Amino acid sequence: MVGWRTSSIRRQHELPKHRLLVRDEKYPHIVYVEKEVTDNNETKAHADHYDPEEEMIRGLTQVPWERVDVSFQKSTQRLVAHNTIQVKSYWLNSDGADVINHMMDNFIV
């Protein structure tokens, strides 16, 4: 298991505030969607200190992409979230089906 900041590839101050999290009946495990993520000139690397996490964040924000935050916190399947989000086995990981449906409904070619 990893923390929210790490799993969503954000800096701590970039995490959505809990009051902004949404609940949607169609996609109950999708809690936040951030569209068109691009670099906003955040912290630049210091020449004397290499931070691979910061470099990864800066690299990923060079092109636009969308972050979708998912929470299985209230799910009985939360301990196997990595399998649940993939719906590896429907009878075991069915809580992730709404995440897959959200991807299919919102995928833009």
Side-chain angles (χ1 to χ4, degrees):
M1 287 198 202
V2 296
W4 185 17
R5 181 184 62 83
T6 302
S7 66
S8 67
I9 312 173
R10 286 188 178 97
R11 296 167 187 93
Q12 185 67 35
H13 69 275
E14 296 173 335
L15 289 173
K17 305 298 181 218
H18 285 308
R19 63 183 162 72
L20 298 176
L21 300 182
V22 297
R23 287 288 174 201
D24 185 332
E25 285 186 34
K26 186 173 181 182
Y27 312 115
H29 298 101
I30 304 292
V31 294
Y32 191 78
V33 176
E34 182 179 357
K35 304 229 182 240
E36 295 290 322
V37 176
T38 55
D39 188 14
N40 55 0
N41 295 321
E42 282 289 340
T43 310
K44 299 296 179 196
H46 299 288
D48 60 337
H49 178 70
Y50 175 71
D51 183 352
E53 184 176 357
E54 180 62 32
E55 185 162 330
M56 177 186 65
I57 290 171
R58 276 189 281 115
L60 287 170
T61 55
Q62 295 301 307
V63 294
W65 60 294
E66 180 177 291
R67 284 188 179 109
V68 177
D69 292 290
V70 175
S71 175
F72 293 110
Q73 186 175 8
K74 295 179 181 175
S75 169
T76 58
Q77 301 168 6
R78 68 185 169 278
L79 297 177
V80 290
H82 284 87
N83 291 333
T84 298
I85 201 167
Q86 301 170 50
V87 192
K88 290 184 90 170
S89 172
Y90 189 81
W91 65 271
L92 185 61
N93 310 119
S94 59
D95 279 2
D98 66 300
V99 178
I100 301 298
N101 290 334
H102 181 270
M103 287 191 319
M104 291 186 306
D105 292 347
N106 294 279
F107 188 76
I108 300 172
V109 180

